[in-house]
Structure formats: structure tokens, C-alpha cells
Amino acid sequence: MEITVKPIDAVIFVGTGLSISFRLLLGGLSVGLFLGLTLAILRHNGIGRRPIAHYVSLLRGTPVLLQLSLIYFAIPGILGVRLSVLSAGIITFGLNSSAYMSEIFRSGIEGLPRGQFEAAQTLGIPRFFIWKDIILPQVFTAILPALTGEVIALLKETALIATIGGADIMRKSQVLAAEQFTYFMPLCIAGFYYYFIVLFVESLSRRLERRLRRAHH
Amino acid sequence: MLTIENVYKSFQGNMVLKDITLAIEGGSILGLAGPSGEGKSTLLRCIQGLENIDSGKIVCGGRIGFMFQDFQLFPHMSVLQNVVYAGKFQPRERRATLLRRAEELLERLGVWNLCDRYPDRLSGGQKQRVALARTLMLEPEVLLCDEPTSGLDMAATADVAELLRSICAKRTVVAIASHDMSFLTKVADRIVLLRHGTIAADIALDQFPNLPKLAVSFFEE
């Protein structure tokens, strides 16, 4: 069968999935960063060390697709609530990412000399400000490359939302493929979209890294 | 005034400080001498409260300032930010004069011209002075210095000795842990030798001008 859609229309059609992909990325990232950081700080302070280690192990040790299916299909059935596709996606990708991010933050925190905490403590700086102004700015600079890697991984994982009907870039390309009876062009368009976002995230990270390093010298 | 009574401290069953009793008057400098691993730093850390003691009592008559061996300046803050940052959490009347006091201190320590620099662009001696300024901003009644001359050359060491002497002209109690006997004999009024976690000797320097030689022979026994 002949392809009837013009390439530009195909690009625009697949691009309508950007909104869902971005919402999943930003939502998942917010949940992942907040929860990951909280878990790392709790663990550093010796609070809930064992349950947190199990949480991280479980979320890293099972497929994201399984976690997504559990959260979208299984858990609402048990609890008797209905989750939207977007909410299920943000919760799943956020929780999954929080496990990886908590480990990234933990390595950054443990990489700092203990003397930095102690020096701040001896100067009478309150605990909250020790974290906010002394520890985390240093940790953030150190882990930025690893964090960028996690953001990219998260973006690519969001494509799994297509399996539960989320109309993201991936899903739109599948719809187009099914309508046009050709897979090559729609999937390539989706691939380019993902790759351009990754390039953008990488360049943003590089710029941020340069700025942070310049600020410290 | 700083008093330490019958202090014991162990790490995982290994006794590091045994029955330490000391009293230090304001305006005097105490040198804690002894080879590495004999409990000098641990004693300072116990006084500061960075370590909990097993038993005994430490009574300190005011704010404590602590100078770390490796300075522990905050690398993402400029010299001036390092010095004034903690001041944000001081009482209001002291906050008002924060910048003026920082300028005075940095000027006095000869590093005001470096106030916009970041720590990785400072020499060991300059870092030392910035760390001292940061600690002195607290206006401590007790100043604890852990190996303040490690990594410094002779000239910088002599400067540190002079600086600490000038601080002590006031009523501050200064306690310095160092394995550098010649430095301690220059700066301290009194030297306490720690060995195997106990006080092996407690000597007022004005009564013992030949202490450096004696100390060397003591450790070589």
C-alpha cells in the first residue's frame, strides 16, 4: 500500500505526543528528585536504612513495565480507585527513578569529606542550612553527570506509557504506522524526537556544569 | 576557662583517652603534644562535642571555635562568604556588624585582598588564615586548633605562631594539638604530652626552657 501522508504532516502528528512525553518526564523527574533526595538524606542520618535499601533493591530489580502494569491495572483494582494513564505513569516513573536517584545522591553525599559537615556544625549553622547551603550545592556539582544520565534514562522509559494507551510520542508513531501500513518513517520520526530531547538535556547539563565549575574558581 | 575531669573515650573497645584531667585558664595557650594516634585530636574533638565521651566531665566557659587540620573551607563559597556565612545565624546585634568584623579580621590576617577568591586558588598558608578568620568570627572563648601547621612551610608556621599569640592576648583559651614540638614551644605557655591516651607530662614552658630536646628524647625512648 502507498504512503498517503506527507512527511511534514507525519512529523506534526507524532509531535502531538510531545506534551504527554514532557509531562511524564517532568512529573517523574520531580517525584524522583524529591523522593530520591529525601531517601538519601534519611539513609545518611541512619533513619530507615534497611527498609530504604529494600525499596531501592526492589525497584531496581524488577522491570519498569511490570511496575507500570501493577500501578495502572492491579493496585487500583485492589484499592478500588481509578488512576489516569498520566498519573499512573508519573507515579511509576517517579518511584522507579527515585530508587536510582537516591543511590546517585548517596554516592555524592558519601563522597564529601566528613569534615565539611563537622566544620559547618562547629560554626553553629542549623542542620537544615548545612544541607541546603553547604552540602547539597557540592553534592549537586559532583553528581550532575550521573543525574543527567538518569534524566535521559527516564525520558526513554516514558515510551512505555504507550503500552497502557498513553498518547505520547511512541504511541502516536504507532498509530501513524498502523494507519499508513508502514513502520519505518513513523518510528524514525519518534526516534528523532527522543534523540533531540536527549541532545537538549545533554547540552543543558554541560552548560550547567560549566557554570557551576566556573562559579567555584 | 576550660576544665576537663577524668575523661575517658574509646572507639570500639579501643581506649583512646584514659582519665584525662586538665584545667586551662583564659589567656593562655596549651600545647597538646605527642606522636600521631595518641589521642590529641580526639581530645579536641571531645571538647568540641564532635565525639561523645564515655565518662568524665568537660566544662567550657563559652563558645568554642574549632580549626580543622585540613581547614575544611567550603569550596563553593568565596573567602568572604566562607567567613561571613555562619554569621547569619548569630544574634541580631552581632549580625549588624558582620561585614565590618569580617573585613577587620581578614585585614588583620593579611588576606582581605583575597576576599573574592575561591579556596582552591589559595595557598596552604592563606587557607589557614581564612579558616582562622572564619573561626574567630564566632568570637570564641575557647579556640581549639588541630595540627594548625601541617602542610605549612617554616615561614607560614612562624606566622601562625604569631597570630595565635596575638589572639591569646585577650582572654581566649587556646588549645593546640600538634606533633611539631618546635612550633609548640614557640607558641604555647604550657605543654601536655599525651602518650597511650594518658597525660605523660604537663609542663609550664617558662620553667622548662630545654623542653624540645627533652621531648624528643622522651619519644625516642
Side-chain angles (χ1 to χ4, degrees):
Chain A
M1 185 162 289
E2 238 177 79
I3 302 170
T4 53
V5 68
K6 281 189 224 152
I8 183 70
D9 293 332
V11 168
I12 292 169
F13 181 76
V14 176
T16 55
L18 273 171
S19 153
I20 292 287
S21 293
F22 271 129
R23 277 192 271 175
L24 283 170
L25 175 65
L26 295 180
L29 191 61
S30 308
V31 174
L33 274 174
F34 176 75
L35 203 56
L37 179 60
T38 308
L39 293 176
I41 293 176
L42 286 175
R43 208 166 169 180
H44 180 82
N45 289 315
I47 303 166
R49 206 168 270 180
R50 193 168 284 188
I52 293 171
H54 286 311
Y55 170 85
V56 170
S57 169
L58 197 69
L59 281 165
R60 293 201 306 181
T62 49
V64 188
L65 186 55
L66 175 93
Q67 294 163 13
L68 183 64
S69 307
L70 265 175
I71 288 177
Y72 187 63
F73 298 117
I75 291 180
I78 296 166
L79 297 181
V81 284
R82 179 120 189 92
L83 279 179
S84 70
V85 169
L86 190 67
S87 311
I90 289 175
I91 292 170
T92 308
F93 301 133
L95 291 182
N96 184 268
S97 183
S98 75
Y100 288 92
M101 287 201 187
S102 82
E103 287 296 285
I104 294 173
F105 277 114
R106 188 166 74 99
S107 72
I109 293 167
E110 284 178 4
L112 276 193
R114 194 167 60 135
Q116 288 286 304
F117 288 91
E118 292 180 343
Q121 209 180 317
T122 61
L123 290 169
I125 302 169
R127 196 166 257 276
F128 172 77
F129 290 94
I130 293 182
W131 281 102
K132 179 179 155 282
D133 292 339
I134 310 293
I135 304 303
L136 289 181
Q138 295 185 61
V139 166
F140 190 69
T141 309
I143 65 170
L144 192 59
L147 216 51
T148 306
E150 177 49 28
V151 174
I152 291 171
L154 179 61
L155 168 72
K156 291 186 291 184
E157 269 166 19
T158 60
L160 288 172
I161 203 74
T163 61
I164 58 167
D168 72 331
I169 299 170
M170 188 67 202
R171 180 79 184 148
K172 291 282 181 175
S173 71
Q174 286 171 338
V175 169
L176 189 66
E179 279 175 2
Q180 300 293 318
F181 300 103
T182 176
Y183 277 89
F184 189 73
M185 185 180 69
L187 290 180
C188 281
I189 292 171
F192 280 125
Y193 271 118
Y194 282 114
Y195 189 55
F196 281 129
I197 302 172
V198 167
L199 287 182
F200 175 70
V201 169
E202 277 176 348
S203 98
L204 205 65
S205 160
R206 267 198 303 273
R207 228 178 300 170
L208 195 57
E209 201 174 339
R210 264 203 301 274
R211 185 185 287 190
L212 284 171
R213 291 201 192 287
R214 224 187 2 247
H216 298 181
H217 301 299
Chain B
M1 177 81 177
L2 172 69
T3 54
I4 300 163
E5 286 171 27
N6 311 106
V7 163
Y8 285 81
K9 170 71 189 168
S10 61
F11 289 109
Q12 288 150 356
N14 179 24
M15 198 58 86
V16 183
L17 297 175
K18 293 172 214 157
D19 198 18
I20 303 287
T21 297
L22 270 176
I24 316 166
E25 293 295 326
S28 70
I29 301 185
L30 173 83
L32 282 170
S36 300
E38 299 287 311
K40 305 185 297 290
S41 297
T42 306
L43 181 56
L44 292 191
R45 292 172 62 83
C46 288
I47 298 170
Q48 171 67 61
L50 290 172
E51 306 284 353
N52 294 322
I53 54 176
D54 296 350
S55 64
K57 202 164 84 173
I58 296 175
V59 182
C60 177
R63 275 185 301 278
I64 306 178
F66 197 102
M67 286 255 297
F68 289 81
Q69 180 172 358
D70 36 12
F71 318 122
Q72 295 297 344
L73 296 175
F74 305 132
H76 58 302
M77 293 184 179
S78 69
V79 164
L80 187 61
Q81 287 168 332
N82 259 284
V83 173
V84 298
Y85 177 76
K88 285 199 327 197
F89 309 103
Q90 290 180 354
R92 185 188 291 261
E93 64 276 10
R94 283 171 58 199
R95 275 207 310 266
T97 57
L98 211 59
L99 274 173
R100 193 173 49 74
R101 280 193 296 133
E103 186 178 346
E104 266 172 28
L105 265 173
L106 289 169
E107 193 84 66
R108 197 171 130 210
L109 295 169
V111 284
W112 172 245
N113 56 329
L114 307 174
C115 69
D116 290 329
R117 280 208 201 165
Y118 283 83
D120 71 337
R121 294 288 162 95
L122 300 177
S123 70
Q126 290 166 339
K127 281 183 191 163
Q128 172 75 263
R129 282 155 184 270
V130 176
L132 186 60
R134 185 174 74 171
T135 310
L136 291 179
M137 281 294 281
L138 296 173
E139 298 179 351
E141 276 90 6
V142 175
L143 177 64
L144 308 172
C145 307
D146 192 5
E147 298 284 357
T149 61
S150 70
L152 297 190
D153 58 23
M154 295 276 278
T157 302
D159 281 354
V160 174
E162 202 174 303
L163 280 174
L164 291 172
R165 273 250 156 246
S166 69
I167 295 158
C168 210
K170 295 187 202 163
R171 288 217 304 275
T172 319
V173 173
V174 182
I176 305 166
S178 177
H179 64 274
D180 183 350
M181 277 304 286
S182 70
F183 165 70
L184 284 182
T185 51
K186 269 186 214 125
V187 69
D189 303 306
R190 177 180 158 202
I191 290 190
V192 165
L193 293 168
L194 283 184
R195 204 165 193 211
H196 305 314
T198 58
I199 295 179
D202 184 346
I203 304 150
L205 269 183
D206 52 356
Q207 296 164 10
F208 247 107
N210 291 326
L211 183 75
K213 276 183 224 155
L214 282 170
V216 169
S217 59
F218 175 84
F219 289 123
E220 284 173 354
E221 260 174 30

